[in-house]
Amino acid sequence: MGASDLQTVKVRDVWRRPPLPNLNPQADPLVVMQVDVSDDHATEGNGSAILRLFGVTEQGNSVLLRVHRFYHYFYVPVLPGVEASALNEALNVALSKKHEGMSHRIVVHVRVVTKRNIMYFVPGDPEMQFFRITILNPRYMKETASLLQSGGLRVETPDGLKPLPELLTFESTLDYALRFMIETGLMGCSWLTVPASKYKLVPHGQRESHLQIEVDVDADDIISHKPEGKWLTTAPLRRLSFDIECAGRKGIFPEPQHDSVIQIANYVWDHGQPKPIAKVVFTLKSCASIVGADVLSFEDESSMLSAWREFVRVTDPDILTGYNIVNFDLPYLLDRAKELAANDFPFLGRLRRAKTTMRKTRMSSSAFGTHESRSFSLHGRTVFDMLQLITREYKLRSYSLNSVSAEFLGQQKEDVHYSIISDLQNGDEQTRRRLAVYCLKDALLPVKLMDKLLALTNYMEMSRVTGIPLGWLVSRGHMIKVVSLLHRKSHQVDLLVPDLKRNMGEAGASDGPQFEGATVIEPMKGYYRDPIATLDFASLYPSIIMAHNLCYSTLIRPLHLSHMNSSDYTTSPSGSHFVKKTVKKGILTKILEELLAARKKAKKDLKEAEDPFLKSVLNGRQLALKISANAVYGFTGASVGKLPCMDISASTTAYGRQMIESTKAEVEKRYKHATVIYGDTDSVMIKFGSSTSLEESMRLGEEAATAISEVFPKPVKLEFEKCYYPYLLISKKRYAGLLWTNTKDFDKMDCKGVESVRRDNCRLVANVISTSLELLLKKQDLQKAIDTVKQTISDLLQNKIDISLLVVSKALTKTDYEAKQAHVTLAEKMRKRDAGTAPSLGDRVPYVITHGSKNEPAYSRAEDPLYVLEHNVPIDNRYYLENMLRKPLERIFEPVMGTKVGSLFVGEHTRTVSVVTSKKGALMKFAKIRLSCLGCKSPVNEGAICKYCVPKEAEIYMKHLDSVTKLEKVYASLWTECQRCMGDVCHDVLCSNGDCPIFYRRRKAQKDLDYASEKLQRFELDW
Amino acid sequence: MHSKEQAAQPQSNGENGNHAKVRKTIPIDLEPSKRFVLPSKKRYEPQYAHIYFCRLTALRPALESTARVIFGPPSDKLHHAKRIVNVSSEGANERETVIIGVVFRQMTKPSILALYEQASHDLIPAPPPRATAPYPGADDTVFLEDENGRCTLDMSGFDQIPDAFVTGFVVAVKGKEDHLKGTFKVGSFTPVLAAPQPTLKPYEEDAYICIVSSLCLPQPSFGVELLGEFLKGNTLEEDEAFAMNTVALVITGNVIGHVSDTPTHQPLAVGEKERIASPMVDADRFLSGVASTLPVFYMPGEHDATNYLLPQQAVNRCLLPSASRNSNFHRVPNPLLCEMAGRSLLATSGQNVEDFALYAAESAKDQQNDNQMLERDPVNKGMYEADGERVLEIMGNMLKNRHIAPTCPDTLGSYPFYERDPFVIERTPHIFVVGNQKEFGARRIRVSTEGSQSSDEGMIVEGEICGTVCLVSAPRFDKSGQAVFVNLRNMECCVREFAVDMQM
């Protein structure tokens, strides 16, 4: 197939959106599910803003709503003697000085409204007057607000022109789009209707987007629907998942300044549909065709990029997805286009003239840590990077696409190292086809992951519950959700949220109370063979906030205390004062009550629902509600957040601690033999007695939960959910046990904080730990556990452990590490050996620790596992025992064995040590290999055995035969596995997926079989 | 028939005592079996992909011409695609296309990787044992692939997936690509059809080859003794001529029985070594006894003391010291290909058929609506075994597809051949034997000339010779006490039972 050109790219009709039904603006209402709001707003002739809403109809047609006549506003408290009109005038005068020659007035009007400040309860709860300052266009918001914040604005008063003091503004930092959504009651990903005759179709020539429907509407004509009942459905969102391949130079990770993009593979797949709409791969240079996929080949990279951009426009996805597209694929494409001066490329959004730009962002949040990331202006398309999402929501050993798909999809994935990619690209159309198939698979997996994890469904529900656009959930932190909830509620009840300057909030905000150790009851370490009942506070923090009416709006300043009736407020254990519910219900309480009521309803509906898609929606809903409720506490404690209030967060945790303590006291008071052995954030672990049965413990647990709940104010509720039996309590936040919720069978083994997921451990550690725990807990067989550990240690020292279990891998991030690190040193070593295959920046470097010479530090003894296999380099098994296994093992065995734990590491099983003879090394160069008898090892000249062993020949033969047949089985099972996984039987397996458990083993099987069959062959000498 | 030793029968005076009986001899050529002999320096570096590739290249030219005969020459309505990827080329949607490739079935196979996921105690799981029950989900996905690509076959037009679509067979299918689904809807298909068969030269005398498998020594077996005596000629008078006309014994595997694996990391217990060695001692005694009177061919089977991967190599002489001294005793590989009195004999020890049967088992069962095709054999570790009819059907399909071990290397272990696939049938044999089966079965099928594809067996050869193949499913001797005798003169088979009150 020759290379095609942009013009000749055959666009299949199925790639497009469904055909547009006849839409008569006079007769048909327009019903749209809103998906995105544009960050940047168009401007009308009069200077006001046009808000762009992107959405999809039920039939899957794409829509742009250009919303007119919605004005942004903010508040300042009314100042005595200042008239609204005077303030209006003064602001416009000041602003027009800055914007000389502008014909329209920036401040549209200033009105006096009656509201309250959300902060603090003031005795009598008086209303206050505020100026609401409405401005023409949100782009002037910041400067308008700052005129008032910085003070000095001269306003005409009855006493003449007077400078204003510094004023606290309210709600000026609220996003324009969010302000619009709050005002119209529009939630994220929810439906809206524009009645017939209330919208105007934009004629084709004047359209600013590529969408199927583009209309002008008035903000007041938008009717939004709560996502309930018939509006619970979702429109079919279109997803484009893509993956690019780049031709790197030998040994260097691809750089857009030098290395071309050679392939872009795509899957277009509507959400909720069983099959994709398009499977298309764009290739640089010809590529043999692939059944079921379209291959579009180009001789020129710029044409390929342009064609892809065209493809994006034609398929018109709502969502762009992939794996690491935010930090690799998208930036690479944009940078590469810049390098090639492909100026028509960066128009990937939905607006014709809006160039796609990117900027670096830094997102810090207590929950996710600090991340450097990028954001893109894609106008109407939401970027949904599955890597970001998975790193956020799941804690895994490794986040490579290989291990993530192994984890969630249960499939290992072939991995082609980028050093091979260039070779494949430089081959012929067949090798490029090979690459394309691989690339397609990488484009498919993110969609599969998204569906498997219900990521899109759950995020859409989160968007509906919290009322923020879908894209913000991905690009912004946790806080924005609560900001939206808080503003929505405040808007309803006429409360105003002040604009706090960052870090200007409460004193001592640098370290939030959520970092204070939440452990209340020190663990009584040990191995418990009796059932341990666990009482949990259901949604502890939300219920504390509700029970004690903790809120911004109920917090009383100390100065007002004297004016308060002491029966009207409570003082929290941390010393803050909040007014009681009977006087004024806090807004946080209201928000939480609604969230929890909605969750109850969602759960009830979920039980009744039958349609699987609806079920997943409802499940997503209840999850989103739970997460949102729990986020409220974090929001009040986030020192860099929008509205931190340490009084609330500190009081919440203080109440929590107090409740755990009083639970302990209550339990030990009510049950004579009971001991509380540990209490964490929201749970207490109770041992009811030394020989209490499981049934009895469960019954007592149930009883205690009900009884003790009475002690606490509503809605705090203590629940009994599970027993641990047996239970291994290692230390704070580290424990393991079998979890029982019924008396018949345990549910699972529950491990917290135990070394099994940490990725800087080798697999051996995780395996030994989980095996030991399994034996200790499931089998309750201490002796067997000890024996297994000893056996493993013995195997380790005798070199019988598979190398894949010993591999540690670390990402190579910076070349100039100050401290010497194993993987950095190894990467250097490998570069000297062969620059072509050596790992480069960004790669994960797998290594094992080898023997090395005496006193050589561990970091310089790291070696490439493949090299170790190839050259029989001896592994430093002692190092693994002492530095990797010992500590974790001691931790879990100490509670069981006490001081005898040391016996695991000394004794008979540690005496036999074997070290393989290296084929590399100084001495080996001079050694001459001589045949020896396979029976008695005495030297022989030829054949298998010496003359003295002849009588035993059959026996010796059988021994060697046995090892050959065993190895043959291993060999065959491993290599057929890889051949199957590759999805192709006619080509060699190229996979370099070091995360796969059989990657090293299959190589070893080859070597071992070679060696063993060579020995066996010596018996065949006289065939 | 029962062959009983009787007191009245004059006994032979030992091994060397010869009566008037004269053992017939025939010319035997073992040269063709070389294709199954591995080089002395084995290489495990090459990957399995090469076998598939060699298989495809070996069979494609013949299959292309068969496809032209069966489906008709290329026309406006029919496109013969050179390679699978050419399917979606211009206009292919409008007309039917013929594509050729290797079949690959995706289903739940024994998988070592799956064991890693379950493994809690095994740090390094041992390879899974061979499947003993039909592969579940065998209908899930059928792929056809060549060196350029793979496509999913839509087999919805078939009630059950035909035998030709067992992993590893090379077939030609005619149908249309469904671009949207990315599948190829199969309308009809054809195997390559049987390979040319050498002319069968007349051989006018009765000469029997005796075929047994699963002697399973050292099980105390009176039957084995009887068989030995019979072959030596120590038998009833009326059988004597028959016995002396038996010209060779072919043992299709499993002279010794299944020995449970002993873990290697533990030292062998006292007496254990002897126990492991003893079957070989018994075997040596038996084989050397028989070989003193007629040629014996010992093919290894699954349980014999040799390598595991196919082709299995001849059992080492050191295990059979006395038999090996006899020039009548031949240690041969499994599979075996040789010529006896001008008849070509192809034999395997049964693994190929056993594994094959696991593919089509479920669907075959549905069709038959009872378990006629397959039964669970309680004695043999619950292994599914096909009955005689089914085995013959499978063997016929192997001939039609010119391949005796299609599931190698996917579900049947194989040596990683690099430049050839020795399991491809280059010439249709005159006799095709599969050992270690549940029951005896034999059939002669016609190998007809080109053009008469409508004959019963649907066989076509490229040559002009009209011939027949004698298919033999040799039963397990330990279960049935039966040995099969094939008359080289007329290819007729009979079975004799050497057992008194065999307990099944």
Side-chain angles (χ1 to χ4, degrees), chain A residues 454-733:
Chain A
L454 293 171
L456 188 54
T457 311
N458 291 352
Y459 267 63
M460 281 167 75
E461 283 309 307
M462 181 58 87
S463 165
R464 287 171 161 193
V465 163
T466 55
I468 61 170
L470 186 64
W472 295 12
L473 288 174
V474 193
S475 60
R476 308 191 185 188
H478 259 325
M479 294 310 153
I480 185 73
K481 299 181 213 166
V482 187
V483 168
S484 166
L485 287 169
L486 190 68
H487 273 282
R488 281 173 189 270
K489 196 76 213 165
S490 309
H491 184 72
Q492 281 175 15
V493 298
D494 288 337
L495 289 180
L496 298 183
V497 181
D499 297 322
L500 294 186
K501 278 190 195 142
R502 286 259 154 131
N503 297 330
M504 188 205 76
E506 307 280 298
S510 59
D511 209 356
Q514 69 267 39
F515 302 117
E516 255 173 51
T519 314
V520 191
I521 301 164
E522 279 299 313
M524 295 163 66
K525 294 179 197 178
Y527 176 57
Y528 296 88
R529 283 165 219 266
D530 302 305
I532 302 297
T534 307
L535 303 190
D536 292 296
F537 285 103
S539 311
L540 179 70
Y541 287 167
S543 49
I544 288 176
I545 292 176
M546 289 188 279
H548 301 282
N549 203 30
L550 309 184
C551 184
Y552 303 99
S553 59
T554 57
L555 179 63
I556 307 164
R557 280 177 163 140
L559 64 103
H560 285 135
L561 269 189
S562 49
H563 305 286
M564 299 280 302
N565 193 334
S566 66
S567 63
D568 284 346
Y569 66 90
T570 44
T571 304
S572 76
S574 61
S576 308
H577 315 282
F578 296 91
V579 74
K580 283 189 177 165
K581 225 177 287 183
T582 45
V583 181
K584 182 183 183 179
K585 202 181 219 179
I587 184 165
L588 292 182
T589 304
K590 284 183 192 167
I591 292 172
L592 289 170
E593 278 174 0
E594 282 175 17
L595 289 175
L596 295 182
R599 176 157 187 241
K600 213 176 231 175
K601 178 166 184 304
K603 277 176 128 176
K604 184 171 154 273
D605 292 347
L606 178 62
K607 257 184 211 152
E608 288 161 9
E610 274 164 22
D611 175 50
F613 192 71
L614 190 66
K615 269 188 142 136
S616 68
V617 168
L618 285 167
N619 189 49
R621 165 84 44 105
Q622 69 90 9
L623 270 175
L625 287 161
K626 181 182 168 188
I627 295 168
S628 307
N630 286 326
V632 169
Y633 155 76
F635 178 79
T636 63
S639 51
V640 290
K642 262 233 155 147
L643 197 60
C645 179
M646 295 308 140
D647 286 294
I648 300 175
S649 52
S651 298
T652 310
T653 39
Y655 273 120
R657 275 196 297 275
Q658 198 186 49
M659 282 159 65
I660 296 285
E661 271 155 20
S662 44
T663 306
K664 174 183 156 80
E666 286 291 332
V667 166
E668 290 177 354
K669 188 176 85 193
R670 282 162 205 249
Y671 302 94
K672 241 189 278 163
H673 300 291
T675 336
V676 171
I677 58 163
Y678 179 48
D680 208 337
T681 321
D682 58 358
S683 53
V684 277
M685 319 290 193
I686 308 163
K687 185 177 139 186
F688 275 109
S690 49
S691 55
T692 319
S693 68
L694 184 62
E695 285 100 324
E696 186 65 0
S697 295
M698 287 191 166
R699 194 187 62 74
L700 290 173
E702 202 84 57
E703 183 188 282
T706 320
I708 301 173
S709 286
E710 298 298 317
V711 177
F712 300 112
K714 288 220 161 82
V716 173
K717 196 168 167 237
L718 201 52
E719 282 174 351
F720 167 80
E721 263 173 13
K722 61 200 178 210
C723 268
Y724 285 112
Y725 173 50
Y727 186 59
L728 182 67
L729 183 52
I730 300 166
S731 65
K732 251 188 222 180
K733 310 233 179 223

Side-chain angles (χ1 to χ4, degrees), chain A residues 12 14 275-277 279 288-294 406 410 412 430 433 764 767-768 770-771 774-775 779 792 800-802 804-805 953-955 957-958 961-962 964-966 968-977 979-980 983-989 996-998 1001 1003 1006 1009-1010 1013-1014 1017 1019-1020 1022-1023, chain B residues 39-50 52-53 56 84-88 93 102 104 109-114 116-117 120-121 123-128 145-152 177 179-182 261-262 264-265 273 276 280 305-309 314 316-319 331 409-411 413-414 416:
Chain A
R12 291 182 188 267
V14 289
K275 292 252 171 193
I277 283 164
K279 281 191 243 178
S289 46
I290 300 166
V291 180
D294 289 292
Q412 287 291 342
Q430 290 308 327
R433 177 185 179 282
L764 180 68
N767 279 346
V768 172
S770 62
T771 309
E774 202 128 312
L775 288 168
K779 301 267 182 325
T792 309
K800 287 182 183 160
I801 296 285
D802 190 81
S804 59
L805 295 168
E953 186 178 9
E955 191 191 306
Y957 177 81
M958 286 301 278
L961 176 67
D962 188 54
V964 167
T965 53
K966 283 208 166 79
E968 279 182 315
K969 288 177 189 172
V970 174
Y971 169 87
S973 65
L974 292 169
W975 282 95
T976 46
E977 192 76 55
Q979 197 77 49
R980 286 176 203 160
D984 176 346
V985 295
C986 291
H987 294 100
D988 276 353
V989 175
C996 178
I998 63 175
R1001 194 178 171 193
R1003 186 77 193 93
Q1006 233 171 18
L1009 186 52
D1010 252 344
S1013 74
E1014 198 173 304
Q1017 189 63 36
F1019 288 93
E1020 303 285 345
D1022 56 347
W1023 204 92
Chain B
S40 59
K41 171 77 189 120
K42 292 170 192 63
R43 289 183 60 217
Y44 295 92
E45 288 275 305
Q47 295 189 12
Y48 281 138
H50 299 279
Y52 292 105
F53 183 73
L56 183 64
I84 288 177
V85 290
N86 301 129
V87 177
S88 48
N93 287 342
V102 184
F104 188 81
K109 300 167 182 174
S111 153
I112 193 164
L113 204 49
Y116 271 92
E117 265 148 48
S120 47
H121 293 270
L123 292 180
I124 311 146
E145 89 173 65
D146 65 13
E147 66 271 40
N148 289 8
R150 160 185 280 200
C151 73
T152 311
E177 189 203 7
H179 189 86
L180 263 190
K181 285 205 238 157
D261 289 341
T262 36
T264 43
H265 58 268
K273 288 175 187 169
I276 291 176
M280 292 316 295
T306 185
N307 62 322
Y308 167 78
L309 300 179
N316 191 281
R317 57 148 189 96
C318 76
L319 302 176
R331 296 172 294 114
D410 189 44
T411 42
S414 164

Side-chain angles (χ1 to χ4, degrees), chain A residues 809-1010:
Chain A
S809 79
K810 282 207 176 103
L812 195 59
T813 45
K814 274 184 260 160
T815 37
D816 52 344
Y817 275 102
E818 283 174 20
K820 293 274 186 192
Q821 290 206 47
H823 64 293
V824 183
T825 317
L826 174 60
E828 198 51 47
K829 210 190 297 183
M830 289 172 74
R831 206 165 0 261
K832 281 181 194 146
R833 242 177 246 152
D834 175 10
T837 55
S840 50
L841 223 57
D843 273 1
R844 292 193 71 76
V845 187
Y847 62 89
V848 289
I849 301 293
T850 62
H851 244 301
S853 56
K854 218 178 171 190
N855 295 333
E856 205 180 341
Y859 67 81
S860 74
R861 288 188 277 126
E863 190 47 271
D864 172 17
L866 284 177
Y867 186 88
V868 167
L869 281 178
E870 237 32 85
H871 301 285
N872 261 344
V873 182
I875 286 178
D876 186 356
N877 296 316
R878 275 278 162 205
Y879 177 87
Y880 280 92
L881 178 58
E882 295 301 330
N883 298 47
M884 301 230 178
L885 272 181
R886 194 181 191 117
K887 283 229 175 66
L889 279 175
E890 276 175 352
R891 265 198 287 271
I892 65 165
F893 278 94
E894 210 199 308
V896 197
M897 299 170 74
T899 49
K900 278 189 274 178
V901 71
S903 71
L904 285 176
F905 307 99
V906 285
E908 188 59 34
H909 64 287
T910 60
R911 303 258 158 81
T912 322
V913 175
S914 32
V915 177
V916 293
T917 349
S918 172
K919 286 186 188 161
K920 275 268 144 100
L923 270 177
M924 292 315 287
K925 284 180 199 147
F926 306 104
K928 198 178 161 203
I929 300 192
R930 196 159 172 213
L931 288 183
S932 61
C933 168
L934 293 173
C936 65
K937 297 205 166 104
S938 58
V940 292
N941 289 326
E942 55 166 13
I945 49 170
C946 66
K947 59 185 177 189
Y948 303 104
C949 286
V950 168
K952 288 190 292 179
E953 186 178 9
E955 191 191 306
I956 298 167
Y957 177 81
M958 286 301 278
K959 206 179 95 197
H960 284 90
L961 176 67
D962 188 54
S963 75
V964 167
T965 53
K966 283 208 166 79
L967 284 166
E968 279 182 315
K969 288 177 189 172
V970 174
Y971 169 87
S973 65
L974 292 169
W975 282 95
T976 46
E977 192 76 55
C978 289
Q979 197 77 49
R980 286 176 203 160
C981 171
M982 191 177 81
D984 176 346
V985 295
C986 291
H987 294 100
D988 276 353
V989 175
L990 294 179
C991 177
S992 61
N993 177 0
D995 282 338
C996 178
I998 63 175
F999 177 70
Y1000 295 106
R1001 194 178 171 193
R1002 67 167 197 225
R1003 186 77 193 93
K1004 187 166 185 331
Q1006 233 171 18
K1007 296 281 292 184
D1008 288 352
L1009 186 52
D1010 252 344

